[in-house]
Amino acid sequence: MLLDLELGGRKVQIRDLEPADEQDVLALFDAAEDWFTAATGGPAAPGDVQSLYYGLPEGAAFEDKVLLVITVDGRIVGVIDAVLRYPTADACSLGLFLIHPAFRRQGLGRLVASALLREPAVRDCTHVAASVAEGWQPGTGFLADLGFSFEAPRIPTNTHRNLGPGERPVVPARLRLDTSAH
């Protein structure tokens, strides 16, 4: 996937995550320590980039996994982990939508989310499932601004990893898509 966008005169690109991106994504993870601490109770771990490749919810098909990076003027400033056709055939599940702290609250997330929701890969989706760590206001605000509704917090499940000692419950969020616009 490759999308070219523009935000405030800056070139924004959404493209597939490639193995050569590992160091840049690791630097993004280090910069986003606030998110990792809120979500897992600690900073990013050395294997977190590699785990993006094999982290898949139970029952999801590997071929439906989508890993993307967001670049601004060629610099990786975001990463997205999603699974199409999960948890149902008409859904998309968002595992991670992380923006570098220096690029938050500038419209980048909304621009990228809006562009991706117009893509053919999600045209058959009627809803998007996401979650946010309980108390993580930047994520809750972002999802709310996009129109997501929230459910009661719960302990993360189907993570295929050991939960961190300070890991918070997650707040499931759902977005109904207007399929008539497709």
Side-chain angles (χ1 to χ4, degrees):
M1 173 181 295
L2 180 66
L3 292 174
D4 290 314
L5 307 168
E6 190 247 322
L7 181 67
R10 300 181 85 177
K11 181 181 177 184
V12 176
Q13 190 175 69
I14 306 166
R15 64 170 174 79
D16 292 318
L17 174 67
E18 300 170 356
D21 296 327
E22 182 176 353
Q23 288 305 311
D24 292 333
V25 173
L26 187 56
L28 166 64
F29 284 5
D30 287 342
E33 184 176 341
D34 58 344
W35 178 83
F36 276 93
T37 300
T40 68
D48 284 341
V49 176
Q50 293 88 2
S51 71
L52 288 174
Y53 287 97
Y54 60 83
L56 199 62
E58 188 173 327
F62 186 75
E63 59 271 11
D64 290 334
K65 176 100 168 174
V66 178
L67 294 173
L68 304 170
V69 291
I70 303 163
T71 67
V72 173
D73 297 332
R75 175 182 170 204
I76 292 177
V77 300
V79 65
I80 300 168
D81 173 8
V83 180
L84 302 174
R85 294 175 281 286
Y86 184 84
T88 60
D90 63 345
C92 174
S93 181
L94 187 58
L96 177 65
F97 192 110
L98 183 64
I99 303 287
H100 189 288
F103 289 84
R104 294 179 190 157
R105 311 267 335 133
Q106 298 176 25
L108 179 63
R110 179 180 288 281
L111 174 74
V112 168
S114 297
L116 290 173
L117 289 173
R118 291 189 304 266
E119 278 301 289
V122 296
R123 286 210 178 126
D124 294 332
C125 292
T126 61
H127 68 277
V128 178
S131 63
V132 62
E134 185 177 41
W136 177 242
Q137 292 305 315
T140 303
F142 175 67
L143 292 176
D145 287 348
L146 291 173
F148 278 79
S149 60
F150 299 93
E151 300 172 8
R154 62 179 181 227
I155 300 298
T157 58
N158 292 331
T159 59
H160 295 285
R161 63 179 174 75
N162 293 327
L163 298 180
E167 198 152 347
R168 298 179 186 174
V170 296
V171 178
R174 304 251 184 261
L175 175 65
R176 279 259 165 235
L177 300 176
D178 179 8
T179 57
S180 66
H182 300 291

